[in-house]
C-alpha cells in the first residue's frame, strides 16, 4: 500500500523538475491547469520536505502539557507521551493496548468505552470530558479528543489527547454559583421593592410616591457602596454619609471609629438610617431650626463576637410622643435589624427627641 | 372558622413584612418569622402552627432539612422562593410553589391550598 504513495511522490518530483527546467528556459507555457498542478505538486513536495523525524516528534509530544497517545486502527494503544505516565503514575507495560481502563473512574468507564468502540467502528472522531486518576489517586476532569489518521481513505491509526480542565471546571462552577446567587438576589430585591410599594401605598398620602422613590433610592445607594467593595463589606461611615447627605450634614454630629459591615448588616443599617432621617425631617429634630442630631458608634471587643453600639440621638426638636401604631418605617427598623441580625434595638421617644440605640454582633459574614 | 396559624421562614425582613401584611388579610395569624436555619428548625419543632411558608435560601444557608421535618410533623407547607432551588422543589413536588417576586394573589392561591390540606388532614384524623 505504501508503494503507490511513494511512486506518486517520485512522479511529483520529476514533474516539478520538468516544470522548473521549463521555467528556467524562459518558456511561458505555465498557465491555467498547469499552474494549478505545479502549485499542488510543489505543496506535496514541501510537505514531504517538512516531515519531522521521530526524535523531533517525540521531543514535541513530551513537551506539551497535555497527555497524548497513538493507537492502531483497532484501538490498541501502542504509544503514550511522557506526561501520560507522569500524571497517571503507570508504566508502558500496564498501559499497553486497553490497559488505560485502570485509570478511569468505574462509574464513567462504560460511557467512555461506548464512545471509543463506536468511534472505532464508524471512524468518526469524538470529544468527551471524563475523569482520569492521577498518580496521587485523585480523579481530575480531562477533555479528550481523538481523531483518525487516514491514508487514501483508510484509517491507519488513531491519535488522541487529554487536556486537564480542572481550572476551567472550577471557574465554570464558580460562575454558575455566582449566576444563581445573582438571580436569587435580583428576585429578592424585586420582592423587597414590591414590599416597599405595598406598604408605602397601603394608606396613600400626598407624598407617597416621593416616599416610595426615596426608599428605593436608599436601597440602591447601599448597593453602590457594596459594589465598590466587591460585595464583601461596606464602611459604616460611608453608609452614614450616604443616608444623611439629603438632610443637611451640617445638622449632624457624627463620630465613630472605622467599621466595616457585612452586606446584610450594611443594607439593614442603610434602610434604618433612611427611615430615621425621613422621620427626623417630618416629625423630629429637623422640623425646627436649631434641631440637631448626633450619631455615635463604638465597637466593643470584650465579648466573643465584637459588638457595634450605635446611637442616634435627636436634640432640640419637638416633643415627640410614641406613635399610636407602628408605621412601615418603625417596623422596618425593628425587623430588619432585630430579626435579621440578632441585634438589640431600642427606640425611645424622649422629651428632647427620639433616641435610637442598637447593638449589632459583627460576626464574620461570608459571601456564599 | 378560626384564623390559621402560620410559620413564616424568610430571611429578608421586608419580604417577611409583605407576607405578614398579605396573610393578615387572608384570615391568618403569623405566629413567628424565622430568619435563619437554626431558628426555623427550632420554631418548626416547638411552636403551634397550622402550616408554613418556606424560603429555602436563608442568607446563603440552605434550609434543605426543613421540608422533611415539616413532613414528619404533618404540617403542610408552601415554598416561597427565588431561584436555584429546583432540586428541593422537585423532591417535594406536592407542595405549592410561589416564585419571588410575588403578589397577593399568588400567596392567596398557596394559602387556600394549604388551608384545604389542613382541613383534609384534620378530617382524616377524626375519621381515623
Amino acid at each position: 500500500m505504501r508503494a503507490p504513495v511513494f511512486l506518486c511522490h517520485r512522479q511529483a518530483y520529476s514533474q516539478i523538475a520538468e516544470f522548473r527546467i521549463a521555467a528556467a528556459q524562459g518558456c511561458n507555457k505555465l498557465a491555467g491547469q498547469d499552474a494549478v498542478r505545479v502549485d499542488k505538486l510543489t505543496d506535496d513536495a514541501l510537505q514531504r520536505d517538512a516531515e519531522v523525524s521521530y526524535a523531533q516528534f517525540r521531543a514535541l509530544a513530551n513537551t506539551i502539557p497535555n497527555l497524548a497517545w497513538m493507537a492502531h486502527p483497532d484501538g490498541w494503544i501502542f504509544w503514550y507521551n511522557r506526561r501520560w505516565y507522569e500524571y497517571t503514575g503507570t508504566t508502558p507495560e500496564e498501559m499497553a493496548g486497553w490497559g488505560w481502563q485502570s485509570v478511569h473512574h468505574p462509574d464513567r468507564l462504560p460511557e467512555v468505552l461506548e464512545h471509543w468502540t463506536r468511534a472505532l467502528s464508524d471512524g468518526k472522531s469524538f470529544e468527551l470530558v471524563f475523569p482520569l486518576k492521577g498518580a496521587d489517586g485523585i480523579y481530575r476532569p480531562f477533555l479528550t479528543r481523538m481523531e483518525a489518521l487516514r491514508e487514501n481513505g483508510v484509517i491507519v491509526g488513531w491519535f488522541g489527547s487529554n487536556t486537564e480542565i480542572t481550572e476551567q471546571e472550577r471557574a465554570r462552577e464558580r460562575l454558575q454559583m455566582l449566576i444563581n446567587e445573582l438571580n436569587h438576589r435580583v428576585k429578592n430585591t424585586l420582592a423587597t421593592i414590591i414590599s416597599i410599594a405595598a406598604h408605602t401605598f397601603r394608606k396613600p398620602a400626598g407624598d407617597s410616591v416621593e416616599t416610595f422613590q426615596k426608599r428605593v433610592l436608599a436601597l440602591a445607594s447601599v448597593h453602590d457602596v457594596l459594589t465598590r467593595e466587591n460585595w464583601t463589606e461596606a464602611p459604616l461611615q460611608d453608609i452614614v454619609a450616604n443616608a444623611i447627605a439629603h438632610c443637611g450634614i451640617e445638622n449632624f454630629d457624627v463620630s465613630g471609629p472605622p467599621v466595616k459591615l457585612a452586606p446584610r448588616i450594611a443594607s439593614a443599617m442603610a434602610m434604618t438610617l433612611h427611615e430615621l432621617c425621613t422621620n427626623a425631617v417630618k416629625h423630629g429634630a429637623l422640623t425646627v431650626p436649631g434641631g440637631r442630631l448626633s450619631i455615635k458608634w463604638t465597637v466593643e471587643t470584650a465579648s466573643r463576637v465584637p459588638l457595634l453600639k450605635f446611637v442616634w440621638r435627636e436634640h432640640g426638636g419637638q416633643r415627640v410622643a410614641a406613635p399610636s401604631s407602628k408605621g412601615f418605617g418603625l417596623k422596618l427598623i425593628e425587623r430588619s435589624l432585630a430579626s435579621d441580625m440578632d441585634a438589640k434595638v431600642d427606640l425611645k421617644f424622649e422629651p428632647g427627641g427620639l433616641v435610637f440605640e442598637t447593638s449589632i454582633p459583627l460576626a464574620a459574614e461570608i459571601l456564599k | 372558622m378560626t384564623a390559621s396559624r402560620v410559620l413564616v421562614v424568610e430571611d429578608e425582613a421586608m419580604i417577611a413584612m409583605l407576607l405578614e401584611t398579605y396573610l393578615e388579610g387572608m384570615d391568618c395569624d403569623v405566629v413567628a418569622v424565622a430568619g435563619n436555619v437554626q431558628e426555623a428548625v427550632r420554631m418548626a419543632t416547638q411552636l403551634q402552627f397550622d402550616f408554613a411558608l418556606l424560603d429555602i435560601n436563608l442568607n446563603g444557608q440552605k434550609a434543605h432539612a426543613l421540608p422533611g421535618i415539616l413532613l414528619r410533623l404533618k404540617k403542610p407547607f408552601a415554598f416561597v422562593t427565588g431561584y436555584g432551588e429546583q432540586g428541593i422543589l422537585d423532591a417535594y413536588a406536592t407542595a405549592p410553589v410561589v416564585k419571588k417576586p410575588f403578589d397577593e394573589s399568588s400567596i392567596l392561591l398557596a394559602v387556600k391550598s394549604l388551608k384545604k390540606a389542613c382541613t383534609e388532614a384534620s378530617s382524616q384524623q377524626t375519621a381515623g
Side-chain angles (χ1 to χ4, degrees), chain A residues 223-285:
Chain A
H223 280 226
D224 286 343
V225 179
L226 284 167
T227 307
R228 220 161 39 225
E229 307 277 338
N230 263 336
W231 276 89
T232 50
E233 55 193 11
L236 177 57
Q237 46 276 32
D238 289 6
I239 303 258
V240 170
N242 261 350
I244 66 176
H246 307 291
C247 308
I249 44 169
E250 66 280 3
N251 300 316
F252 289 81
D253 302 303
V254 181
S255 67
V259 181
K260 302 241 176 178
L261 300 182
R264 286 173 59 79
I265 301 179
S267 294
M269 275 307 285
M271 292 309 287
T272 297
L273 287 168
H274 171 74
E275 295 303 322
L276 287 170
C277 284
T278 309
N279 184 68
V281 171
K282 273 190 179 173
H283 314 289

Side-chain angles (χ1 to χ4, degrees), chain A residues 74-112:
Chain A
D74 63 358
W76 179 273
I77 298 184
F78 64 90
W79 186 89
Y80 287 97
N81 70 345
R82 194 190 299 152
R83 183 77 190 107
W84 171 280
Y85 294 114
E86 281 169 5
Y87 174 74
T88 57
T90 55
T91 62
E93 292 70 35
E94 289 166 341
M95 285 296 111
W98 293 70
W100 49 267
Q101 294 179 41
S102 65
V103 296
H104 279 245
H105 196 283
D107 293 351
R108 298 292 305 279
L109 185 58
E111 185 193 347
V112 176

